[in-house]
Amino acid sequence: MYTQRIPTQCSGLFSSRVLPPSVSRSLVGRSIAPQTLRPACRRSTLKTYAVLEKLEKKSGKRDLPTKGLDYKPKDSDNAVQTDILKKLAYVVGADAHAVSDRQAYQGVAFSVRERLIERFNKTQEHWRQKDPKFIYYLSAEFLMGRSLLNTVMNLGLEEEYGQAVKQLGYSLEELVDAEQNAALGNGGLGRLAACFLDSIATLDLPGWGYGIRYKYGMFRQGLDKGFQKEMPDIWLQNGNPWEIARPNISYRVGFYGTVDNFKWTPEEEVIAACYDNPIPGYGTNTVGNLRLWESKPVNEFKLDEFNEGHYVEAVDEKRKAEDISSVLYPNDATEYGKELRLKQQFFFVSASIQDVMARYKETGHKNWKDFPSKACFQMNDTHPTIAVAELMRLLIDQEGLDWEEAWSITTQTLAFTNHTVMPEALEKWPVKVMGKLLPRHMEIIDKIDSIWKDSLKEKVLAQVEKEGKKPKAGAAKPKAVAAEATKTAEKAETADKATEAEEEEEEEDPVTKALNKYGIICENPWAKGVKLVNMAYLAVVGSKAVNGVAYIHSEIIKETIFKDFYDLTPEKFQNKTNGVTPRRWLAYCNPELASLITETLGSDKWITEAYLLEGLRKHADDKKFQAKWKDVKLAKKEKLAGKIKEITGIEVPTKALYDIQIKRIHEYKRQHLNMFSVISRCLDIKKMSKEQKKEVVPRVVVFGGKAASAYYMAKKMIKLITAVGAVVNNDPDVGDLLKVVFLPDYNVSLAEFIIPGAELSQHISTAGTEASGTSNMKFQMNGCLIIGTMDGANVEIAEETGKENLFVFGVDAEDVPRLREERKDFKDYDPRWVTVMKAITDGTFGDAEYFQDLVDNVNDMTKSNDWFLVANDFASYMEAQKEVDQVYANQDEWTRRSILYTAGSGKFSSDRTIYEYAKDIWDVKPVPVPSS
């Protein structure tokens, strides 16, 4: 990225270099002598949120700096350079007199795109000929990040493109900065899905991802006086050179309507429009695919309504359709919001399954019994689990199969990944909502539930009799609810009240009560008489395999949320510990460290054979190697410090411990526990003498992450972070001994800056609440030490790195239920805790009233319950932080541990995870694409 200052003679919002008349030519003019294209003046291509807002207000649009550009190749033998210039002229349509960095990026991107599509087409044709079994990865999120560098590197084109753009006066790095992040996800779920697609292609596995082409992402996060501000993330405003629109491929998806004799007549329909996003594997000719769906209206515009002056009605169908693919996770606090979320899920699932079934028939297959040998759908969390009912509907209603055949195919084709251990996080839809929006699917779910419970009746009856309980005569017949679900909300409510007494009587029967434990349709424990569809239970019953995403997580779900199902079918449950791609998350985001690793190991094979990183262990105590390792880390810290200054204006010292917590803001992730520690540290520093301050290990504490728009407490946590930062960063008594930074709009590209420069990362969720985590793996790969609980993948990271090299604290998962019960009687508050709570409520950091309920939530058990045991873990956490300071003071020991972290990260490559999925669940084999 350019860092030169703007000459004082430059004027205008964006200054461009205009070539003199003797040099400048039209796009089709005479050839000219080679030029060295250096900008006369430039601004940084990355701007803070505040600067962008000013630009938008001033000019009404956002653009990047420009320069004059000669369209004659500087090297007539350089085909890549020639192609880039052609793309600038004839695809981008750039003015040779003023080419912005964004246009230059687009020219390079369209050039790379051609080579990518060429391999993509060859891959798809090869797979069509071989007709292998495919894996189809269904996910509501795919957090892909920027594509230019990843594509160039995976395709092995870095040398020729790097040389070509350099001769044109650019670098790949600055062009990468001109690309916007694809706003297709929010957190770990989406980043995991992106890593999986990279590994599927790298391992030559026939596989596609399926999701939604969100127009505005989740939201673009800004800060307004320290409060989170949500704005649309308009990431498609300049187009997306990496996608391929497929106007010839579309499907109708229906909602609402009526069911008559098992025939569904939707009241509302939308068109699922198709966009392909090729995914290149590394070191292979294979290019996979991410197919995304955009919702469009069947009737774009009603001219008759418009002509009659009904302007809103004229475009109402268009608005409703486009709502579906507008925003990731729309706020579901309203009834419309709830329906919209379910609409989103069904929309992309239905389009995806219809697409796979159409492709199955197009390849000449006629017997649906063979479908499981050609397709496997992996449902990533509960968002796509309506696939169970939709595949059944399509097989029965569209293809004419009977129930038993359809069920056999469904349960051999679907697999389910669970990403939570908290029962309250399992997605449950009110029967009334499901029945109203998807009446035929509610019928199917009701029948699945009835048949499922009927199949367990004898087993449950025997168990009840064994326990000495007496079943009621004629009991245990599951009660159908689909009919009442398809009525209007008012009639359904009346029916619920009319049968309330009967249901209460049924609940008293021990057989019925035992069967209800397995029910896909269950009663809402917080609203008597309200029926819910448990989507996770539907997925467990309708899938051939169920997996957790870390060893401890997989064990917990077998003992808690899915215990009854595990007892019935233990063979169905597996563990598949998550992983991340070492390409993006080490080789590309930290090239300096990657070069050192390659130099030390004598090969770059570790990029695809991550277990080779084990070879670094024997160098961990080598002082010369440690010195090189430290130099790399310092360089990445300096880059991160520059990025922090650029985004926030805050100057942070590089001779400080860089302490990072970048996660979705949530109470169970406990950013407030981190902040309480920061406040305690600040108060301690202020009491110190000058001599005592000399012994303090300086820290830069960095936070990043978004709070869901309707998550009140998470938003308060962000405000607390910014409020404390505003005080600490301007306190002369504290100085450079402590800095607190919140980086707004955390995304993949920002993570690629933060993670290489991090020295300590915080993974401090309450034990037993984090399924796995993937950011901990990215930090580990880059030699960043971890402070954390024995939760999620931290447990396995400790096994690979050595638990003694982590800073472990907190209660154990098995003690959490008991401690929650006892929390109201907890009185053993650490004195530092009391001091911190008082500082917040006294207004030391601003609005004491605003922060009062955040404090009460963890401190006053007459008003709340401290569900995530922040107070219980505080003292232990503070001791772990003390150990962090002690070890960091010994830089040789800190560096030794850092090396061991990277050396132990091989297990957490997504290549390993995908290999296990393919072997144990999908039964999908590699089909490499030949070079010819």
Side-chain angles (χ1 to χ4, degrees), residues 474-770:
K477 290 186 178 179
K479 177 175 166 45
V481 299
E484 67 180 271
T486 55
K487 298 175 183 178
T488 62
E490 291 79 14
K491 289 182 179 179
E493 185 175 357
T494 303
D496 281 341
K497 290 179 179 179
T499 58
E500 186 175 314
E502 179 187 347
E503 289 172 353
E504 287 179 352
E505 185 179 338
E506 285 181 352
E507 287 178 356
E508 295 174 1
D509 177 72
V511 176
T512 302
K513 188 174 182 180
L515 278 173
N516 285 340
K517 293 189 303 181
Y518 305 97
I520 296 166
I521 299 171
C522 58
E523 182 145 339
N524 187 340
W526 312 111
K528 193 166 184 60
V530 175
K531 298 289 187 180
L532 301 173
V533 179
N534 188 317
M535 301 304 289
Y537 284 9
L538 176 64
V540 171
V541 174
S543 297
K544 67 174 182 175
V546 178
N547 72 276
V549 291
Y551 175 77
I552 185 174
H553 169 238
S554 297
E555 293 303 302
I556 289 173
I557 64 175
K558 290 190 291 189
E559 296 167 2
T560 55
I561 55 176
F562 297 142
K563 182 182 186 305
D564 296 316
F565 296 89
Y566 174 70
D567 290 342
L568 288 173
T569 54
E571 70 282 355
K572 182 181 281 193
F573 288 79
Q574 301 186 23
N575 174 57
K576 294 289 172 279
T577 298
N578 281 343
V580 298
T581 169
R583 270 78 64 185
R584 183 182 288 269
W585 293 111
L586 178 51
Y588 304 161
C589 76
N590 200 344
E592 298 89 346
L593 186 60
S595 295
L596 178 58
I597 292 170
T598 296
E599 173 192 315
T600 305
L601 297 181
S603 167
D604 65 358
K605 288 183 179 179
W606 60 268
I607 297 176
T608 52
E609 300 172 36
Y611 278 107
L612 293 175
L613 292 170
E614 283 280 347
L616 295 174
R617 288 189 188 277
K618 62 184 179 183
H619 301 280
D621 293 304
D622 184 330
K623 300 304 179 187
K624 291 183 179 179
F625 183 67
Q626 285 187 359
K628 293 179 180 179
W629 195 271
K630 289 178 189 176
D631 288 344
V632 169
K633 182 59 73 173
L634 178 59
K636 304 311 287 189
K637 287 174 66 176
E638 289 171 346
K639 289 193 75 170
L640 176 54
K643 179 64 67 177
I644 290 171
K645 174 72 182 299
E646 179 185 323
I647 294 173
T648 68
I650 301 171
E651 293 192 19
V652 296
T654 54
K655 292 183 178 179
L657 168 60
Y658 279 25
D659 175 353
I660 313 293
Q661 189 177 17
I662 44 174
K663 295 176 178 288
R664 174 168 56 98
I665 309 298
H666 198 290
E667 288 167 276
Y668 90 84
K669 293 181 183 289
R670 302 201 294 189
Q671 284 90 350
H672 46 347
L673 174 60
N674 187 352
M675 275 313 304
F676 297 156
S677 167
V678 169
I679 292 170
S680 181
R681 180 179 292 269
C682 169
L683 298 176
D684 286 345
I685 291 172
K686 287 181 67 63
K687 292 185 294 184
M688 291 179 181
S689 66
K690 288 186 178 180
E691 291 302 312
Q692 288 174 320
K693 287 180 181 179
K694 292 179 181 179
E695 302 300 316
V696 173
V697 173
R699 283 215 197 187
V700 174
V701 184
V702 178
F703 294 85
K706 297 178 180 179
S709 58
Y711 195 169
Y712 175 74
M713 197 59 70
K715 288 186 170 183
K716 282 184 178 282
M717 291 160 69
I718 291 176
K719 176 57 178 173
L720 179 64
I721 293 167
T722 58
V724 172
V727 172
V728 169
N729 298 338
N730 295 288
D731 190 330
D733 291 337
V734 177
D736 279 350
L737 294 181
L738 181 63
K739 295 293 182 184
V740 180
V741 176
F742 185 89
L743 293 175
D745 207 30
Y746 171 67
N747 57 26
V748 173
S749 296
L750 196 50
E752 290 168 352
F753 266 94
I754 295 170
I755 291 171
E759 294 175 290
L760 179 73
S761 62
Q762 304 221 21
H763 308 275
I764 58 177
S765 53
T766 312
T769 60
E770 184 74 82

Side-chain angles (χ1 to χ4, degrees), residues 126-146:
H126 180 65
W127 286 347
R128 269 191 290 271
Q129 292 175 3
K130 295 295 183 182
D131 193 22
K133 183 176 183 179
F134 271 71
I135 174 59
Y136 299 107
Y137 199 80
L138 303 178
S139 180
E141 295 186 42
F142 287 94
L143 201 54
M144 305 304 295
R146 291 168 171 162

